[in-house]
Amino acid sequence: AAADGLVWVAGTDGNVTAFDPEARAWRTNATWNVGAPIRSLVAWQDALCVATEKGLFRRGADGATAARLDGANAVRDIKGCWATSTGLWFFAQNELSLVTAPDTPPRTIEGSSAWGPIHAVAELDNSILVGADQGLFVCGGDGTFRARYDRTSGLSADAIGAIATDSGSVWLGTLGGGLSRVSAAALRGR
């Protein structure tokens, strides 16, 4: 649920609609059409953010018109977006970028173009975990590269499609190699 208590649902038709769990009803007055299939929907800084083939958009809790988040030189074909305490991360044009505030331009993460398509981003303490075709990349909160894990490090496959964390483990859904578990302690401080 977002800060407004509503559960927002995105569709491939470009519509974002709110469900009110208290009323157990869809809020028809809370529909937003971004005009393109939605690939990701996240809540970030009291707003909804969507990744689409037309760009990265943000709509405030006040329902104001959507604003672009992907910079003046609008990036197209955003494959996904993820919210962490350090900002909004998005993948487009084979690079990972970070927006730290709605009014600041995105910053491309150096070297991320060599990681292959990015499928997942998660946060572990003050580290950012990035799941990509070439492995699990551990970065600082600002995107500074710290370490890489792949099959040679003991993972069941190189390509990471999903990341989940719990108190002691980081679970990695690989693309073609099943589930891998890495000790969270091993990744802390990397």
Side-chain angles (χ1 to χ4, degrees):
D4 57 11
L6 301 174
V7 176
W8 291 88
V9 180
T12 57
D13 60 357
N15 284 317
V16 181
T17 306
F19 180 78
D20 185 338
E22 270 188 37
R24 295 182 182 183
W26 292 98
R27 301 267 303 269
T28 56
N29 63 336
T31 298
W32 171 32
N33 187 299
V34 297
I38 297 168
R39 295 181 171 145
S40 295
L41 167 70
V42 296
W44 178 63
Q45 293 194 352
D46 296 326
L48 293 175
C49 300
V50 294
T52 76
E53 65 189 22
K54 293 185 177 182
L56 186 64
F57 299 93
R58 176 181 190 272
R59 180 178 175 180
D62 60 0
T65 304
R68 291 199 73 118
L69 284 173
D70 47 2
N73 298 325
V75 175
R76 301 283 187 210
D77 206 15
I78 309 292
K79 302 296 187 187
C81 63
W82 303 270
T84 68
S85 64
T86 58
L88 184 69
W89 301 78
F90 67 93
F91 175 66
Q93 299 175 339
N94 292 323
E95 293 181 317
L96 183 65
S97 297
L98 171 63
V99 177
T100 56
D103 57 347
T104 61
R107 183 176 63 79
T108 300
I109 304 306
E110 187 176 337
S112 64
S113 62
W115 301 352
I118 293 170
H119 306 288
V121 173
E123 192 167 20
L124 177 68
D125 300 330
N126 53 354
S127 293
I128 302 299
L129 309 177
V130 180
D133 274 3
Q134 300 302 314
L136 175 70
F137 295 84
V138 181
C139 301
D142 63 353
T144 306
F145 173 77
R146 293 184 182 164
R148 174 182 175 202
Y149 295 86
D150 57 17
R151 192 173 306 170
T152 63
S153 310
L155 299 183
S156 58
D158 288 337
I160 306 300
I163 304 170
T165 62
D166 64 26
S167 59
S169 299
V170 175
W171 297 91
L172 306 170
T174 68
L175 301 177
L179 188 65
S180 285
R181 184 181 71 81
V182 178
S183 164
L187 298 178
R188 286 190 171 98
R190 290 299 228 157

